[in-house]
Amino acid sequence: MASTKISTVYAALVALLTETFPDARRLENVESLEDNPASQLKYGWGLSIGPGNNTNRNICPNYSQARKFTVILSREFLAKDGDVARRDQAKIALLEDAHLLFAAAVDSLTLDGAVLGMVYETDGGPQEIQLDDKPFLFLEATFNVEYIQQV
């Protein structure tokens, strides 16, 4: 089976994340963060494919589609109870990672021509998760990616 544009888009997003976070580990299970090894959550990223919709740019024999992609960033959270300064430091580090992601997305709005455009939409802010009695922080950032697919 021949690959379609979505394969190219996904590969371009993975390459962007790999280049932006070269020291981070790729998360195995983005749908359930608790099912990832702690070694990946310590400093990691994941890519989830979300819903798509027709953007009604019919250019025969092509059609356009927009699809949501969610990038998950994670970091180990070493602050102890009551250590507000260290807790803030960990959250800021995660937000700095998000800034790197947003900057990389702006620098590559078309993913080297693979898409019509990529727009950051929203993120959920730093959130906590427990795994093996260790706390981790994660952030989910959603992007809307529009591309043209040949029929």
Side-chain angles (χ1 to χ4, degrees):
M1 180 171 140
S3 65
T4 62
K5 184 64 98 159
I6 191 64
S7 298
T8 304
V9 171
Y10 189 80
L13 286 167
V14 168
L16 176 77
L17 290 162
T18 302
E19 182 179 311
T20 304
F21 303 106
D23 297 328
R25 304 264 320 263
R26 186 166 178 190
L27 302 175
E28 293 174 12
N29 191 337
V30 293
E31 284 76 26
S32 177
L33 293 180
E34 297 89 353
D35 292 336
N36 289 285
S39 61
Q40 290 176 2
L41 289 171
K42 185 173 184 175
Y43 180 48
W45 64 266
L47 180 62
S48 176
I49 303 171
N53 65 289
N54 184 345
T55 58
N56 296 315
R57 296 179 197 244
N58 295 315
I59 308 165
C60 289
N62 304 323
Y63 68 92
S64 63
Q65 184 170 27
R67 183 163 299 281
K68 306 274 187 206
F69 288 89
T70 300
V71 175
I72 299 95
L73 303 173
S74 66
R75 276 195 174 262
E76 190 170 25
F77 177 46
L78 299 173
K80 296 178 181 167
D81 289 342
D83 191 348
V84 177
R86 205 162 188 186
R87 177 182 296 271
D88 288 348
Q89 183 181 22
K91 288 181 179 181
I92 295 299
L94 189 62
L95 291 172
E96 292 290 349
D97 291 343
H99 171 74
L100 289 175
L101 171 62
F102 305 151
V106 168
D107 284 346
S108 186
L109 285 176
T110 65
L111 295 175
D112 295 326
V115 301
L116 293 174
M118 177 171 63
V119 177
Y120 159 72
E121 287 191 345
T122 186
D123 70 67
Q127 300 175 58
E128 292 185 38
I129 186 175
Q130 291 283 329
L131 181 65
D132 299 330
D133 293 327
K134 292 181 183 177
F136 295 90
L137 290 174
F138 71 95
L139 180 140
E140 296 179 334
T142 302
F143 291 84
N144 190 42
V145 178
E146 186 179 7
Y147 57 93
I148 292 180
Q149 175 63 57
Q150 188 173 21
V151 177

